[in-house]
Coordinates of all heavy atoms in Angstrom, one line a residue:
M367 N 2.9 83.9 -96.7 CA 3.0 82.5 -96.9 C 1.8 81.9 -97.6 O 2.0 80.9 -98.3 CB 3.2 81.9 -95.5 CG 3.6 80.5 -95.5 SD 5.2 80.2 -96.3 CE 5.6 78.7 -95.5
A368 N 0.7 82.4 -97.3 CA -0.5 81.9 -97.9 C -0.5 82.1 -99.4 O -1.0 81.2 -100.2 CB -1.8 82.6 -97.4
K369 N 0.1 83.2 -99.9 CA 0.2 83.5 -101.3 C 1.1 82.5 -102.0 O 0.8 82.0 -103.1 CB 0.7 84.9 -101.6 CG -0.3 86.0 -101.4 CD 0.2 87.3 -101.9 CE -0.9 88.3 -101.8 NZ -0.5 89.6 -102.4
F370 N 2.2 82.1 -101.3 CA 3.1 81.2 -101.9 C 2.4 79.8 -102.0 O 2.6 79.1 -103.0 CB 4.4 81.1 -101.0 CG 5.3 80.0 -101.5 CD1 6.1 80.3 -102.6 CD2 5.5 78.9 -100.8 CE1 7.0 79.3 -103.1 CE2 6.4 77.9 -101.2 CZ 7.1 78.1 -102.4
I371 N 1.7 79.4 -101.0 CA 1.0 78.1 -101.0 C 0.0 78.1 -102.1 O -0.2 77.1 -102.9 CB 0.4 77.8 -99.6 CG1 1.5 77.6 -98.6 CG2 -0.6 76.6 -99.7 CD1 1.0 77.4 -97.2
D372 N -0.8 79.2 -102.3 CA -1.7 79.3 -103.4 C -1.1 79.2 -104.8 O -1.6 78.6 -105.7 CB -2.5 80.6 -103.3 CG -3.5 80.7 -102.1 OD1 -3.8 79.6 -101.6 OD2 -3.9 81.8 -101.7
W373 N 0.1 79.9 -104.9 CA 0.9 79.8 -106.1 C 1.3 78.4 -106.4 O 1.2 77.9 -107.5 CB 2.1 80.8 -106.0 CG 2.9 80.7 -107.3 CD1 2.7 81.4 -108.4 CD2 4.1 80.0 -107.4 NE1 3.7 81.1 -109.3 CE2 4.6 80.3 -108.7 CE3 4.9 79.2 -106.6 CZ2 5.8 79.7 -109.2 CZ3 6.1 78.6 -107.1 CH2 6.5 78.9 -108.4
C374 N 1.8 77.7 -105.4 CA 2.3 76.3 -105.6 C 1.1 75.4 -106.0 O 1.2 74.6 -106.9 CB 2.9 75.8 -104.3 SG 4.5 76.5 -104.0
A375 N -0.1 75.7 -105.3 CA -1.3 74.9 -105.7 C -1.7 75.1 -107.1 O -2.1 74.2 -107.8 CB -2.4 75.2 -104.7
S376 N -1.6 76.4 -107.6 CA -2.0 76.7 -108.9 C -1.1 76.0 -110.0 O -1.5 75.5 -111.0 CB -2.1 78.2 -109.2 OG -0.9 78.8 -109.2
I377 N 0.2 76.0 -109.6 CA 1.2 75.4 -110.5 C 0.9 73.9 -110.6 O 0.9 73.3 -111.7 CB 2.6 75.7 -110.1 CG1 2.9 77.1 -110.2 CG2 3.6 74.8 -110.8 CD1 2.9 77.7 -111.6
L378 N 0.7 73.2 -109.4 CA 0.4 71.8 -109.4 C -0.9 71.5 -110.2 O -0.9 70.5 -110.9 CB 0.3 71.3 -108.0 CG 1.6 71.1 -107.3 CD1 1.4 70.7 -105.8 CD2 2.4 70.0 -107.9
K379 N -1.9 72.3 -110.0 CA -3.1 72.1 -110.7 C -2.9 72.2 -112.3 O -3.4 71.4 -113.0 CB -4.2 73.2 -110.3 CG -5.5 73.0 -110.9 CD -6.5 74.0 -110.4 CE -7.9 73.7 -110.9 NZ -8.3 74.7 -111.9
K380 N -2.1 73.2 -112.7 CA -1.9 73.3 -114.1 C -1.1 72.1 -114.7 O -1.4 71.6 -115.8 CB -1.1 74.6 -114.4 CG -1.9 75.8 -114.4 CD -1.1 77.0 -114.8 CE -2.0 78.3 -114.7 NZ -1.3 79.5 -115.1
T381 N -0.1 71.6 -113.9 CA 0.7 70.4 -114.4 C -0.2 69.2 -114.4 O 0.1 68.2 -115.1 CB 1.9 70.2 -113.5 OG1 1.5 69.9 -112.2 CG2 2.9 71.3 -113.6
W382 N -1.3 69.2 -113.6 CA -2.2 68.0 -113.7 C -3.2 68.1 -114.8 O -3.6 67.1 -115.4 CB -2.9 67.9 -112.3 CG -3.5 66.5 -112.2 CD1 -4.8 66.2 -112.3 CD2 -2.9 65.3 -111.9 NE1 -5.0 64.9 -112.1 CE2 -3.8 64.3 -111.9 CE3 -1.5 65.0 -111.7 CZ2 -3.5 63.0 -111.7 CZ3 -1.2 63.6 -111.5 CH2 -2.2 62.7 -111.5
E383 N -3.5 69.4 -115.2 CA -4.5 69.6 -116.3 C -3.8 69.5 -117.7 O -4.5 69.0 -118.6 CB -5.1 71.0 -116.2 CG -6.0 71.2 -115.0 CD -6.4 72.6 -114.8 OE1 -5.9 73.5 -115.4 OE2 -7.3 72.8 -113.9
I384 N -2.6 69.8 -117.8 CA -1.9 69.7 -119.1 C -1.5 68.2 -119.3 O -0.9 67.6 -118.4 CB -0.6 70.6 -119.1 CG1 -1.0 72.1 -119.0 CG2 0.2 70.4 -120.4 CD1 0.2 73.0 -118.7
K385 N -1.9 67.7 -120.5 CA -1.6 66.3 -120.8 C -0.5 66.2 -121.8 O -0.5 66.9 -122.8 CB -2.9 65.6 -121.3 CG -4.1 65.7 -120.4 CD -3.9 65.0 -119.1 CE -5.1 65.0 -118.2 NZ -4.9 64.7 -116.9
F386 N 0.3 65.2 -121.6 CA 1.3 64.8 -122.6 C 0.8 63.6 -123.3 O 0.5 62.5 -122.7 CB 2.7 64.5 -121.9 CG 3.7 64.0 -122.8 CD1 4.4 64.8 -123.6 CD2 4.1 62.6 -122.8 CE1 5.4 64.4 -124.5 CE2 5.1 62.1 -123.6 CZ 5.7 63.0 -124.5
K387 N 0.5 63.7 -124.6 CA -0.1 62.6 -125.3 C 0.8 62.0 -126.3 O 1.6 62.7 -127.0 CB -1.4 63.1 -126.0 CG -2.4 63.7 -125.1 CD -3.8 63.6 -125.5 CE -4.7 64.1 -124.4 NZ -6.0 63.7 -124.6
V388 N 0.8 60.7 -126.4 CA 1.6 59.9 -127.3 C 0.6 59.3 -128.4 O -0.4 58.6 -128.0 CB 2.4 58.8 -126.6 CG1 3.2 58.0 -127.6 CG2 3.3 59.4 -125.5
R389 N 0.9 59.6 -129.6 CA 0.0 59.0 -130.7 C 0.8 58.3 -131.8 O 2.0 58.6 -132.0 CB -0.7 60.2 -131.4 CG -1.7 60.9 -130.4 CD -2.4 61.9 -131.1 NE -3.4 62.5 -130.2 CZ -3.9 63.7 -130.4 NH1 -3.7 64.4 -131.4 NH2 -4.8 64.1 -129.5
K390 N 0.2 57.4 -132.4 CA 0.7 56.7 -133.6 C -0.4 56.5 -134.5 O -1.4 55.9 -134.2 CB 1.4 55.4 -133.2 CG 2.1 54.7 -134.3 CD 2.9 53.5 -133.9 CE 3.7 53.0 -135.1 NZ 4.5 51.9 -134.8
N391 N -0.2 56.9 -135.8 CA -1.2 56.8 -136.8 C -2.5 57.4 -136.4 O -3.6 56.8 -136.5 CB -1.4 55.3 -137.2 CG -0.1 54.7 -137.7 OD1 0.7 55.4 -138.3 ND2 0.1 53.4 -137.4
A392 N -2.5 58.6 -135.8 CA -3.7 59.3 -135.4 C -4.4 58.6 -134.2 O -5.5 59.0 -133.9 CB -4.6 59.6 -136.5
E393 N -3.9 57.6 -133.7 CA -4.5 56.9 -132.5 C -3.8 57.2 -131.3 O -2.5 57.1 -131.2 CB -4.5 55.4 -132.8 CG -5.2 54.6 -131.7 CD -5.0 53.1 -131.9 OE1 -4.8 52.7 -133.1 OE2 -5.1 52.4 -130.9
E394 N -4.5 57.6 -130.2 CA -3.9 58.0 -129.0 C -3.5 56.7 -128.2 O -4.3 55.9 -128.0 CB -4.8 58.8 -128.1 CG -4.2 59.3 -126.9 CD -5.1 60.2 -126.1 OE1 -5.6 61.2 -126.7 OE2 -5.3 59.9 -124.9
K395 N -2.2 56.6 -128.0 CA -1.7 55.4 -127.3 C -1.5 55.6 -125.8 O -1.6 54.7 -125.0 CB -0.3 55.0 -127.9 CG -0.4 54.6 -129.3 CD -1.1 53.3 -129.5 CE -1.0 52.9 -131.0 NZ -1.6 51.7 -131.3
L396 N -1.2 56.9 -125.4 CA -0.9 57.2 -124.0 C -1.2 58.6 -123.7 O -1.0 59.5 -124.5 CB 0.5 56.9 -123.7 CG 1.0 57.1 -122.3 CD1 0.4 56.1 -121.3 CD2 2.6 57.0 -122.2
S397 N -1.8 58.9 -122.5 CA -2.0 60.3 -122.1 C -1.6 60.4 -120.6 O -2.1 59.6 -119.8 CB -3.5 60.6 -122.2 OG -3.7 61.9 -121.8
L398 N -0.6 61.2 -120.3 CA -0.1 61.4 -119.0 C -0.2 62.9 -118.6 O 0.1 63.7 -119.4 CB 1.3 61.0 -118.9 CG 1.7 59.5 -119.1 CD1 3.2 59.3 -119.1 CD2 1.1 58.7 -118.0
P399 N -0.5 63.1 -117.3 CA -0.4 64.5 -116.8 C 1.0 65.0 -116.9 O 1.9 64.2 -116.7 CB -0.9 64.5 -115.4 CG -1.7 63.2 -115.3 CD -1.1 62.2 -116.3
L400 N 1.2 66.3 -117.1 CA 2.5 66.8 -117.2 C 3.3 66.6 -116.0 O 4.6 66.3 -116.0 CB 2.5 68.3 -117.5 CG 3.8 69.0 -117.7 CD1 4.6 68.4 -118.9 CD2 3.5 70.5 -118.0
L401 N 2.7 66.6 -114.8 CA 3.4 66.3 -113.5 C 4.1 65.0 -113.6 O 5.2 64.8 -113.1 CB 2.4 66.4 -112.4 CG 2.9 66.2 -111.0 CD1 4.0 67.3 -110.7 CD2 1.8 66.2 -110.0
V402 N 3.4 64.0 -114.1 CA 4.0 62.6 -114.2 C 5.2 62.6 -115.1 O 6.2 62.0 -114.8 CB 2.9 61.6 -114.6 CG1 3.6 60.2 -114.9 CG2 1.8 61.5 -113.6
V403 N 5.1 63.4 -116.2 CA 6.2 63.5 -117.2 C 7.4 64.1 -116.5 O 8.6 63.7 -116.7 CB 5.8 64.2 -118.4 CG1 7.0 64.4 -119.4 CG2 4.7 63.4 -119.1
I404 N 7.1 65.2 -115.7 CA 8.2 65.9 -115.0 C 8.9 64.9 -114.0 O 10.1 64.9 -113.9 CB 7.7 67.1 -114.3 CG1 7.3 68.2 -115.4 CG2 8.7 67.7 -113.4 CD1 6.5 69.3 -114.8
I405 N 8.1 64.2 -113.3 CA 8.7 63.2 -112.4 C 9.5 62.1 -113.1 O 10.6 61.8 -112.7 CB 7.6 62.6 -111.5 CG1 7.0 63.6 -110.6 CG2 8.1 61.4 -110.7 CD1 5.7 63.2 -109.9
L406 N 9.0 61.7 -114.3 CA 9.8 60.7 -115.1 C 11.1 61.3 -115.6 O 12.0 60.5 -115.9 CB 8.9 60.2 -116.2 CG 7.8 59.2 -115.8 CD1 6.9 59.0 -117.1 CD2 8.3 58.0 -115.2
M407 N 11.2 62.6 -115.8 CA 12.4 63.2 -116.3 C 13.5 63.0 -115.3 O 14.7 63.2 -115.7 CB 12.2 64.6 -116.6 CG 11.4 64.8 -117.9 SD 12.3 64.1 -119.3 CE 11.0 64.0 -120.5
F408 N 13.2 62.8 -114.0 CA 14.3 62.5 -113.1 C 15.0 61.2 -113.4 O 16.2 61.0 -113.0 CB 13.8 62.5 -111.6 CG 13.5 63.9 -111.1 CD1 12.2 64.3 -111.0 CD2 14.5 64.8 -110.9 CE1 11.9 65.6 -110.6 CE2 14.2 66.1 -110.4 CZ 12.9 66.5 -110.3
A409 N 14.4 60.3 -114.1 CA 15.0 59.1 -114.6 C 15.3 59.3 -116.1 O 15.0 58.5 -117.0 CB 14.1 57.9 -114.4
F410 N 15.9 60.4 -116.4 CA 16.2 60.8 -117.8 C 17.0 59.8 -118.6 O 16.8 59.7 -119.8 CB 16.8 62.2 -117.9 CG 18.2 62.3 -117.3 CD1 19.3 62.0 -118.1 CD2 18.4 62.6 -116.0 CE1 20.6 62.0 -117.5 CE2 19.6 62.7 -115.4 CZ 20.7 62.4 -116.2
W411 N 17.8 59.0 -118.0 CA 18.6 58.1 -118.7 C 17.8 57.0 -119.3 O 18.2 56.2 -120.1 CB 19.7 57.5 -117.8 CG 19.2 56.9 -116.5 CD1 18.8 55.6 -116.3 CD2 18.9 57.5 -115.3 NE1 18.4 55.4 -115.1 CE2 18.4 56.6 -114.4 CE3 19.1 58.8 -114.8 CZ2 18.1 56.9 -113.1 CZ3 18.7 59.1 -113.5 CH2 18.2 58.1 -112.7
V412 N 16.5 56.9 -118.8 CA 15.6 55.9 -119.4 C 14.6 56.6 -120.3 O 14.3 56.2 -121.4 CB 14.9 55.1 -118.3 CG1 13.8 54.2 -118.8 CG2 15.8 54.3 -117.4
T413 N 14.0 57.7 -119.8 CA 13.0 58.4 -120.4 C 13.4 59.0 -121.8 O 12.7 58.8 -122.8 CB 12.4 59.6 -119.5 OG1 12.1 59.0 -118.2 CG2 11.2 60.2 -120.1
I414 N 14.5 59.7 -121.8 CA 14.9 60.4 -123.0 C 15.2 59.4 -124.2 O 14.7 59.5 -125.3 CB 16.1 61.3 -122.8 CG1 15.8 62.4 -121.8 CG2 16.7 61.9 -124.1 CD1 14.7 63.3 -122.2
P415 N 15.9 58.3 -123.9 CA 16.1 57.3 -125.0 C 14.8 56.7 -125.4 O 14.6 56.4 -126.6 CB 17.0 56.2 -124.3 CG 17.8 57.0 -123.3 CD 16.8 58.0 -122.8
L416 N 13.9 56.5 -124.5 CA 12.6 55.9 -124.9 C 11.8 56.9 -125.8 O 11.2 56.5 -126.8 CB 11.7 55.6 -123.7 CG 12.1 54.3 -123.0 CD1 11.2 54.1 -121.7 CD2 11.9 53.1 -123.9
L417 N 11.9 58.2 -125.5 CA 11.2 59.2 -126.4 C 11.9 59.2 -127.8 O 11.2 59.3 -128.8 CB 11.3 60.5 -125.7 CG 10.4 60.8 -124.5 CD1 10.8 62.1 -123.9 CD2 9.0 60.6 -124.8
I418 N 13.2 59.1 -127.8 CA 13.9 59.1 -129.1 C 13.6 57.8 -129.9 O 13.3 57.9 -131.1 CB 15.4 59.3 -128.9 CG1 15.7 60.7 -128.3 CG2 16.2 59.0 -130.2 CD1 17.1 60.9 -127.9
V419 N 13.6 56.7 -129.3 CA 13.2 55.4 -129.9 C 11.8 55.5 -130.4 O 11.5 55.0 -131.5 CB 13.4 54.2 -129.0 CG1 12.8 53.0 -129.6 CG2 14.9 54.0 -128.8
G420 N 10.9 56.1 -129.6 CA 9.5 56.3 -130.0 C 9.4 57.1 -131.3 O 8.6 56.8 -132.2
L421 N 10.2 58.1 -131.5 CA 10.2 58.9 -132.7 C 10.6 58.1 -133.9 O 10.0 58.2 -134.9 CB 11.1 60.1 -132.6 CG 10.7 61.3 -131.7 CD1 11.8 62.3 -131.5 CD2 9.4 61.9 -132.3
F422 N 11.6 57.2 -133.7 CA 12.0 56.4 -134.8 C 10.9 55.3 -135.2 O 10.9 54.8 -136.3 CB 13.3 55.7 -134.5 CG 14.5 56.6 -134.8 CD1 15.2 57.2 -133.7 CD2 15.0 56.8 -136.1 CE1 16.2 58.0 -134.0 CE2 16.1 57.6 -136.3 CZ 16.7 58.2 -135.3
C423 N 10.1 55.0 -134.2 CA 9.1 54.0 -134.4 C 7.7 54.6 -134.9 O 6.7 53.9 -135.0 CB 8.8 53.2 -133.1 SG 10.2 52.1 -132.7
G424 N 7.8 55.9 -135.1 CA 6.6 56.6 -135.7 C 5.6 57.2 -134.7 O 4.5 57.6 -135.0
Y425 N 6.0 57.3 -133.4 CA 5.2 57.9 -132.4 C 5.3 59.4 -132.5 O 6.4 59.9 -132.8 CB 5.5 57.4 -131.0 CG 5.1 56.0 -130.8 CD1 5.9 54.9 -131.1 CD2 3.8 55.7 -130.3 CE1 5.5 53.6 -130.9 CE2 3.4 54.4 -130.1 CZ 4.2 53.3 -130.4 OH 3.8 52.0 -130.2
R426 N 4.3 60.1 -132.2 CA 4.3 61.6 -132.1 C 3.8 62.0 -130.7 O 3.0 61.4 -130.1 CB 3.4 62.1 -133.2 CG 3.7 61.7 -134.6 CD 3.7 62.8 -135.5 NE 4.2 62.4 -136.8 CZ 4.7 63.2 -137.6 NH1 4.8 64.4 -137.4 NH2 5.2 62.7 -138.8
Y427 N 4.4 63.1 -130.3 CA 4.1 63.6 -129.0 C 3.4 65.0 -129.0 O 3.8 65.8 -129.9 CB 5.4 63.8 -128.2 CG 6.2 62.5 -128.2 CD1 7.5 62.5 -128.9 CD2 5.8 61.3 -127.6 CE1 8.2 61.3 -128.9 CE2 6.5 60.2 -127.6 CZ 7.8 60.2 -128.3 OH 8.5 59.0 -128.3
R428 N 2.4 65.2 -128.2 CA 1.7 66.5 -128.1 C 1.4 66.8 -126.7 O 1.3 66.0 -125.8 CB 0.3 66.3 -128.8 CG 0.3 65.8 -130.2 CD 0.6 66.7 -131.3 NE -0.2 67.9 -131.3 CZ 0.2 69.0 -132.0 NH1 1.3 69.0 -132.6 NH2 -0.5 70.1 -132.0
F429 N 1.3 68.1 -126.5 CA 0.8 68.6 -125.2 C -0.6 69.2 -125.4 O -0.8 70.0 -126.4 CB 1.7 69.7 -124.7 CG 3.0 69.2 -124.2 CD1 4.1 69.2 -125.0 CD2 3.2 68.7 -122.9 CE1 5.3 68.7 -124.6 CE2 4.4 68.3 -122.5 CZ 5.5 68.3 -123.3
E430 N -1.6 68.8 -124.6 CA -2.9 69.3 -124.8 C -3.4 69.9 -123.5 O -3.0 69.5 -122.4 CB -3.9 68.2 -125.2 CG -3.6 67.8 -126.6 CD -4.6 66.8 -127.2 OE1 -5.6 66.5 -126.5 OE2 -4.4 66.3 -128.3
G431 N -4.2 70.9 -123.6 CA -4.7 71.6 -122.4 C -3.9 72.8 -122.1 O -4.1 73.5 -121.1
V432 N -3.0 73.2 -123.0 CA -2.1 74.3 -122.8 C -2.9 75.6 -123.2 O -3.4 75.6 -124.4 CB -0.8 74.2 -123.6 CG1 0.1 75.4 -123.4 CG2 -0.1 72.9 -123.2
E433 N -3.0 76.5 -122.3 CA -3.7 77.8 -122.7 C -2.8 78.6 -123.6 O -3.0 78.8 -124.8 CB -4.1 78.5 -121.5 CG -5.1 77.8 -120.6 CD -5.3 78.5 -119.2 OE1 -4.7 79.6 -119.0 OE2 -6.0 77.9 -118.4
T434 N -1.7 79.2 -123.0 CA -0.8 80.0 -123.7 C 0.6 79.7 -123.3 O 0.9 79.6 -122.1 CB -1.1 81.5 -123.5 OG1 -2.4 81.8 -123.7 CG2 -0.2 82.4 -124.3
V435 N 1.5 79.4 -124.3 CA 2.9 79.2 -123.9 C 3.7 80.1 -124.8 O 3.3 80.4 -126.0 CB 3.3 77.7 -124.1 CG1 2.7 76.9 -123.0 CG2 2.9 77.2 -125.4
S436 N 4.9 80.5 -124.4 CA 5.7 81.4 -125.2 C 6.4 80.6 -126.3 O 6.8 81.1 -127.3 CB 6.7 82.1 -124.3 OG 7.5 81.2 -123.6
I437 N 6.7 79.3 -126.0 CA 7.3 78.4 -127.0 C 6.3 77.3 -127.4 O 5.7 76.7 -126.5 CB 8.6 77.7 -126.4 CG1 9.6 78.8 -126.0 CG2 9.2 76.8 -127.5 CD1 10.8 78.2 -125.3
N438 N 6.0 77.2 -128.6 CA 5.0 76.2 -129.1 C 5.7 74.8 -129.0 O 6.4 74.4 -130.0 CB 4.4 76.6 -130.4 CG 3.3 75.7 -130.8 OD1 3.1 74.6 -130.2 ND2 2.5 76.1 -131.7
L439 N 5.5 74.1 -128.0 CA 6.1 72.8 -127.8 C 5.6 71.8 -128.8 O 6.3 70.9 -129.3 CB 5.9 72.3 -126.4 CG 6.5 73.1 -125.3 CD1 6.1 72.6 -123.9 CD2 8.0 73.1 -125.4
N440 N 4.3 71.9 -129.2 CA 3.8 71.0 -130.2 C 4.4 71.2 -131.5 O 4.7 70.2 -132.2 CB 2.3 71.1 -130.3 CG 1.5 70.7 -129.0 OD1 2.0 69.8 -128.4 ND2 0.4 71.3 -128.7
E441 N 4.7 72.4 -131.9 CA 5.3 72.7 -133.2 C 6.8 72.1 -133.2 O 7.2 71.5 -134.1 CB 5.4 74.2 -133.4 CG 6.0 74.6 -134.8 CD 6.0 76.1 -134.9 OE1 4.9 76.7 -134.7 OE2 7.0 76.6 -135.4
L442 N 7.4 72.3 -132.1 CA 8.8 71.8 -131.9 C 8.8 70.2 -132.0 O 9.6 69.6 -132.7 CB 9.4 72.2 -130.6 CG 10.8 71.8 -130.2 CD1 11.8 72.4 -131.2 CD2 11.1 72.2 -128.8
S443 N 7.8 69.6 -131.4 CA 7.7 68.1 -131.4 C 7.4 67.7 -132.8 O 8.0 66.7 -133.3 CB 6.6 67.7 -130.5 OG 6.4 66.3 -130.6
D444 N 6.5 68.4 -133.5 CA 6.2 68.0 -134.9 C 7.5 68.1 -135.8 O 7.7 67.3 -136.7 CB 5.1 68.9 -135.5 CG 3.7 68.6 -134.9 OD1 3.6 67.5 -134.3 OD2 2.8 69.4 -135.0
R445 N 8.2 69.2 -135.6 CA 9.5 69.3 -136.4 C 10.4 68.2 -136.2 O 11.1 67.7 -137.1 CB 10.1 70.7 -136.2 CG 9.5 71.8 -137.0 CD 10.4 73.0 -137.0 NE 9.9 73.8 -135.9 CZ 10.6 74.7 -135.2 NH1 11.9 74.9 -135.4 NH2 10.1 75.4 -134.2
A446 N 10.6 67.8 -134.9 CA 11.5 66.7 -134.6 C 11.0 65.4 -135.2 O 11.8 64.7 -135.8 CB 11.6 66.5 -133.1
S447 N 9.7 65.2 -135.2 CA 9.1 64.0 -135.8 C 9.4 64.0 -137.3 O 9.7 63.0 -137.9 CB 7.6 63.9 -135.6 OG 7.4 63.7 -134.2
L448 N 9.2 65.1 -138.0 CA 9.4 65.2 -139.4 C 10.9 65.0 -139.8 O 11.2 64.3 -140.8 CB 9.0 66.6 -139.9 CG 7.5 66.8 -139.9 CD1 7.2 68.3 -140.3 CD2 6.8 65.9 -140.9
E449 N 11.8 65.5 -139.0 CA 13.2 65.3 -139.2 C 13.6 63.8 -139.0 O 14.4 63.3 -139.8 CB 14.1 66.1 -138.2 CG 14.0 67.6 -138.5 CD 14.6 68.0 -139.9 OE1 15.6 67.4 -140.3 OE2 14.0 68.9 -140.6
I450 N 13.0 63.2 -138.0 CA 13.3 61.7 -137.8 C 12.8 60.9 -139.0 O 13.4 60.0 -139.5 CB 12.7 61.2 -136.5 CG1 13.4 61.9 -135.3 CG2 12.7 59.7 -136.4 CD1 14.8 61.5 -135.1
E451 N 11.6 61.3 -139.5 CA 11.0 60.6 -140.7 C 11.9 60.8 -141.9 O 12.1 59.8 -142.6 CB 9.6 61.1 -141.0 CG 8.5 60.7 -140.0 CD 8.3 59.2 -139.9 OE1 8.4 58.5 -141.0 OE2 8.1 58.7 -138.8
A452 N 12.4 62.0 -142.1 CA 13.3 62.2 -143.2 C 14.6 61.4 -143.1 O 15.1 60.8 -144.1 CB 13.6 63.7 -143.3
L453 N 15.1 61.3 -141.9 CA 16.3 60.6 -141.6 C 16.1 59.1 -141.9 O 16.9 58.4 -142.5 CB 16.8 60.8 -140.2 CG 18.1 60.2 -139.7 CD1 19.2 60.8 -140.5 CD2 18.3 60.4 -138.2
K454 N 14.9 58.6 -141.4 CA 14.6 57.2 -141.7 C 14.5 56.9 -143.2 O 15.0 55.9 -143.7 CB 13.3 56.8 -141.0 CG 13.4 56.6 -139.5 CD 12.1 56.4 -138.8 CE 11.0 55.7 -139.5 NZ 9.8 55.5 -138.7
R455 N 13.8 57.8 -143.9 CA 13.7 57.6 -145.4 C 15.1 57.6 -146.1 O 15.4 56.8 -147.0 CB 12.8 58.7 -146.0 CG 11.4 58.4 -145.8 CD 10.6 59.3 -146.7 NE 10.8 60.7 -146.3 CZ 10.0 61.4 -145.5 NH1 8.9 60.9 -145.0 NH2 10.3 62.7 -145.2
K456 N 16.0 58.5 -145.6 CA 17.3 58.5 -146.1 C 18.1 57.2 -146.0 O 18.7 56.8 -146.9 CB 18.1 59.7 -145.5 CG 19.5 59.9 -145.9 CD 20.2 61.0 -145.2 CE 21.6 61.1 -145.5 NZ 22.3 62.1 -144.7
Y457 N 18.0 56.6 -144.8 CA 18.7 55.4 -144.5 C 18.0 54.2 -145.2 O 18.6 53.2 -145.5 CB 18.9 55.2 -143.0 CG 20.0 56.0 -142.5 CD1 19.8 57.2 -141.8 CD2 21.4 55.7 -142.8 CE1 20.8 58.0 -141.4 CE2 22.4 56.5 -142.4 CZ 22.1 57.6 -141.7 OH 23.1 58.4 -141.2
E458 N 16.7 54.2 -145.3 CA 16.0 53.2 -146.0 C 16.3 53.1 -147.5 O 16.3 52.1 -148.1 CB 14.5 53.3 -145.8 CG 14.0 53.0 -144.4 CD 12.5 53.2 -144.2 OE1 11.9 53.8 -145.1 OE2 12.1 52.9 -143.1
A459 N 16.6 54.3 -148.1 CA 16.9 54.4 -149.5 C 18.3 53.8 -149.8 O 18.5 53.5 -151.0 CB 16.8 55.8 -150.0
R460 N 19.1 53.6 -148.9 CA 20.5 53.1 -149.1 C 20.4 51.7 -149.5 O 19.9 50.8 -149.3 CB 21.3 53.3 -147.9 CG 21.7 54.7 -147.8 CD 22.7 54.9 -146.6 NE 23.3 56.2 -146.7 CZ 24.2 56.6 -145.9 NH1 24.7 55.8 -145.0 NH2 24.8 57.8 -146.0

């Protein structure tokens, strides 16, 4: 039981150390611990649309403090931002 509690404590510590950062024009607008972002995902009907609207408004999202991950979330976020920018340019050209 003690090992399980230690494991849970280490996971909580990591979610507090990893930061979800919101930037616009290279200026940091918001920095939240990953734990807070996970909790906000329970209200996904608000959180997900806000993230998508943020992409259309030029905001970029990053995770910092990540040691090693199997999927590079920052690269995925950058690709999504670039696709949104291309989509915006396409509709602005019309």
Side-chain angles (χ1 to χ4, degrees):
M367 188 64 155
K369 282 188 176 188
F370 178 72
I371 292 172
D372 289 341
W373 178 79
C374 288
S376 71
I377 295 296
L378 282 173
K379 183 176 184 249
K380 283 184 182 181
T381 61
W382 196 255
E383 291 172 348
I384 298 170
K385 304 293 183 201
F386 176 75
K387 301 209 174 197
V388 179
R389 294 183 178 162
K390 185 172 184 179
N391 301 327
E393 181 184 338
E394 186 175 307
K395 300 289 186 178
L396 180 69
S397 177
L398 295 172
L400 183 59
L401 181 61
V402 173
V403 175
I404 292 169
I405 292 168
L406 287 173
M407 285 301 161
F408 286 107
F410 64 89
W411 56 90
V412 174
T413 307
I414 300 299
L416 283 176
L417 291 173
I418 293 169
V419 168
L421 284 172
F422 279 101
C423 293
Y425 288 90
R426 301 226 174 201
Y427 309 113
R428 309 278 307 160
F429 289 94
E430 291 185 3
V432 180
E433 296 169 6
T434 306
V435 290
S436 57
I437 300 171
N438 190 341
L439 296 174
N440 291 329
E441 183 179 314
L442 182 64
S443 174
D444 288 342
R445 275 193 269 152
S447 296
L448 291 174
E449 290 297 323
I450 294 294
E451 289 296 323
L453 186 64
K454 283 174 33 180
R455 280 191 299 262
K456 179 181 172 183
Y457 283 104
E458 287 174 355
R460 286 183 167 189

